[in-house]
Amino acid sequence: MKRYAVIPTRNRPGDLADSVAAIAPQVDLVIIVDNRSDPPVTTRDLPGAARVVYCADDPPNLSVLWNLGYEVAAAYAGTEPYDMAFLNDDAVAPPGWFE
C-alpha cells in the first residue's frame, strides 16, 4: 500500500524543510501544496521524494489546499489502495509516526 503526505505551505522554507525531512522516510511521496510562496518552493530544496503543486488562491484556504493535495495523491495511486496524512508545514512527525 502506498503512503502519501500532503503539506500546504506559504513562505516558511525552514519549517517546511524540517517537516519534509521528518515525514519523507515514512512515505512514498510528499506532496507540497505551495500557496504563493516567494520564492516558490521547488523540489531541489527538499529531501526525499517530493512533488510540488502550486495554488494561487488568496487569501489562503486550508481546506482547498488539502483537497488539492488529496487530488494529486489520488491520481498517483490510481485504483490502488493508499494511506494519506495531512500535515501543516510546521509539524515535525517523529520516526514511526505514520504507522
Side-chain angles (χ1 to χ4, degrees):
M1 180 176 302
K2 295 288 186 176
R3 294 178 173 176
Y4 303 101
V6 174
I7 306 174
T9 193
R10 184 175 190 174
N11 292 330
R12 297 179 79 174
D15 288 336
L16 178 63
D18 292 343
S19 184
V20 172
I23 197 64
Q26 302 179 51
V27 299
D28 296 293
L29 181 66
V30 179
I31 300 162
I32 307 301
V33 183
D34 183 6
N35 184 224
R36 300 169 50 105
S37 291
D38 185 21
V41 174
T42 66
T43 56
R44 76 171 174 266
D45 302 328
L46 304 170
R51 162 99 195 268
V52 179
V53 294
Y54 300 95
C55 180
D57 287 3
D58 199 28
N61 180 319
L62 192 53
S63 295
V64 169
L65 302 176
W66 281 340
N67 286 338
L68 179 56
Y70 168 78
E71 290 170 7
V72 171
Y76 271 98
T79 60
E80 299 298 318
Y82 59 94
D83 289 327
M84 186 178 326
F86 295 89
L87 299 120
N88 289 328
D89 59 4
D90 61 348
V92 176
W97 177 84
F98 201 97
E99 292 296 323

